[in-house]
Amino acid sequence: MRRQLFEEDHEMFREMAAEFNVRAVAPHYAQWDRDHMMPRELWTAAGEQGLLGLAVPEEFGGLGMTDYRFRAVLDEEFAKSNHLAVGLAFHLHDDMVLPHLLAYGSEDLKQRWLPGMVSGETVTSVAWTEPGAGSDLRGVRTKAVRDGDDWVITGQKTFIGNGISGDAALVLARTDGGSGRGGAESFSLFMVRKGEGYTTGNQLDKMGLKASDTAELFFDNVRVPHADLVGEEGQGLRYCAGQLPQGRLGIAVAGSAVARAVYEATVRYTKDRNAFGERIIDFQNSRFELADILTEVEATESYVDRAITAFNAGELDASSAARVKLWASERAKSVTDRCLQLHGGYGYIMEYPVAQAFLAARLLTIFGGTNEIMRDVVGRGIAG
């Protein structure tokens, strides 16, 4: 069935995103994957192409494209090209960090941070997760103590995408001076630029998406100007909760895009590959499996498209975002697994896109809050 979500402007943007993948990413992606790192030139090239900070107003160097359909197009093109690590890195920058600055940052903070984020000269990461605090952010132990016109931050973060390659992080830190599990007003958000006391630990060796670097971060009495406090003191958890729908929508878009791309690649493979004198697709089991997968792919696309429409209308609440993230990420995991099986032995070889997508999709049920947390969010809403 033909999708109804996109209009002419989005398809024109899709052509530009596809050309960027062919020109700037495809020739180098395999090497970046081996290096576990993307070069900074990719970010500035994306900035020059107008692919970063789409929602940033023109006064701060952006295009003011608040229509989330453009972000969805970009994610779909990364998935279609099997450049999933680039999509992840850009997602952290644009769907996780940027919304907090746009929604809660002062005019001064926006003026100092947003132009560099749009141009790709400033690469950012989200430093919330800690060794003892993942989905439960009230367990965060990193502390920020006020000292005159500065804050002094001390603590450790882990699983931080763009942690090595990035220039700065959106840090969640405890500011009430307490210990133990924090309360609703115990935490604040800061934009922290790399400098004295801000160091990265070892790069973490992930299952997949290796071209996107992930690391531990350490903060040893890092001084941060009060002007880099995002919004109000003590409102960090509320801000995180307020912007999570966009982050989870981005994961749902990626899940849907991965499922579609892998399905289409598998159809091509089963038409080309023979066994026992017949094409793989000519076996009834293959056709039945592909029929089920296509149905799931189209249902997922429709669900995600509806969520994008709701987000653009300001109607995607936390429970709705949790549901669509839960569904799309589970479908991506299931579809890639079944498509890998249809590839047989070749599906287990990393040069085949289905193998890379299988490893990438596994992250989606964990990233942005585990799917167990998504079920709890939805279940609590049902229970009232």
Side-chain angles (χ1 to χ4, degrees):
M1 293 181 286
R2 187 171 67 87
R3 295 170 71 187
Q4 305 293 320
L5 182 67
F6 300 113
E7 300 173 4
E8 183 178 358
D9 286 350
H10 305 107
E11 297 305 334
M12 292 174 61
F13 184 74
R14 186 184 301 279
E15 292 177 5
M16 183 170 66
E19 187 276 334
F20 178 80
N21 272 280
V22 170
R23 173 180 51 83
V25 183
H28 316 291
Y29 188 79
Q31 185 61 51
W32 300 343
D33 203 55
R34 288 190 290 270
D35 294 341
H36 292 201
M37 186 74 64
M38 293 178 288
R40 292 303 300 270
E41 291 78 14
L42 175 68
W43 288 89
T44 52
E48 291 173 1
Q49 195 84 20
L51 301 180
L52 297 176
L54 301 180
V56 172
E58 293 182 12
E59 63 187 289
F60 301 115
L63 299 174
M65 295 164 60
T66 57
D67 180 351
Y68 197 80
R69 288 177 290 182
F70 290 103
R71 279 286 305 138
V73 164
L74 191 58
D75 275 344
E76 288 183 0
E77 290 306 307
F78 285 133
K80 187 185 302 181
S81 303
N82 203 37
H83 300 149
L84 299 170
V86 180
L88 171 63
F90 285 14
H91 164 75
L92 294 168
H93 186 79
D94 269 16
D95 282 332
M96 299 297 289
V97 178
L98 182 63
H100 292 84
L101 304 191
L102 291 176
Y104 313 117
S106 66
E107 289 301 301
D108 170 68
L109 186 144
K110 292 176 183 177
Q111 191 64 57
R112 289 185 292 107
W113 286 95
L114 295 182
M117 292 179 66
V118 171
S119 69
E121 295 173 1
T122 300
V123 175
T124 61
S125 57
V126 183
W128 298 355
T129 306
E130 298 185 2
S135 296
D136 179 16
L137 293 180
R138 293 196 183 195
V140 162
R141 300 176 63 183
T142 296
K143 294 184 179 295
V145 178
R146 186 71 183 267
D147 183 18
D149 292 332
D150 294 337
W151 290 84
V152 179
I153 297 181
T154 303
Q156 178 183 354
K157 302 290 182 178
T158 194
F159 307 139
I160 309 304
N162 303 337
I164 294 175
S165 61
D167 304 290
L170 178 66
V171 176
L172 181 69
R174 187 155 188 176
T175 50
D176 68 350
S179 59
R181 195 165 180 269
E185 298 183 353
S186 297
F187 304 91
S188 303
L189 287 172
F190 300 87
M191 284 302 297
V192 184
R193 193 177 295 277
K194 282 184 177 176
E196 185 176 355
Y198 180 150
T199 58
T200 58
N202 294 328
Q203 184 169 351
L204 302 177
D205 188 8
K206 306 190 298 285
M207 286 172 55
L209 299 165
K210 292 180 179 291
S212 172
D213 65 278
T214 302
E216 296 175 304
L217 300 182
F218 298 94
F219 303 93
D220 183 10
N221 294 319
V222 177
R223 300 193 75 87
V224 179
H226 180 69
D228 284 331
L229 171 70
V230 179
E232 299 178 10
E233 180 183 343
Q235 296 301 303
L237 288 184
R238 181 171 71 84
Y239 294 161
C240 292
Q243 299 308 313
L244 272 177
Q246 179 169 341
R248 288 172 177 165
L249 176 59
I251 297 168
V253 168
S256 177
V258 168
R260 166 63 74 175
V262 169
Y263 161 76
E264 292 181 349
T266 303
V267 170
R268 291 191 297 270
Y269 177 85
T270 56
K271 287 181 177 179
D272 292 338
R273 178 74 174 171
N274 290 337
F276 302 101
E278 295 185 68
R279 300 182 306 169
I280 299 296
I281 203 167
D282 291 328
F283 291 100
Q284 187 182 63
N285 177 73
S286 301
R287 295 196 302 273
F288 279 11
E289 191 70 76
L290 289 169
D292 286 345
I293 291 170
L294 175 58
T295 303
E296 289 186 29
V297 166
E298 289 193 342
T300 302
E301 285 176 340
S302 296
Y303 191 12
V304 172
D305 288 355
R306 183 179 170 192
I308 292 170
T309 300
F311 180 81
N312 278 347
E315 298 172 355
L316 187 71
D317 60 23
S319 181
S320 299
R323 293 196 298 273
V324 73
K325 187 267 188 186
L326 169 65
W327 174 267
S329 61
E330 291 289 353
R331 299 289 73 70
K333 184 175 73 169
S334 171
V335 166
T336 55
D337 182 49
R338 288 141 67 196
C339 286
L340 190 151
Q341 188 71 21
L342 285 168
H343 279 72
Y346 286 102
Y348 202 65
I349 305 303
M350 284 304 296
E351 69 181 73
Y352 277 74
V354 67
Q356 298 175 43
F358 174 80
L359 295 176
R362 193 60 188 84
L363 173 66
L364 301 180
T365 61
I366 301 170
F367 181 51
T370 66
N371 280 3
E372 288 71 28
I373 295 295
M374 298 304 99
R375 292 182 177 95
D376 191 51
V377 170
V378 175
R380 287 174 181 269
I382 294 170

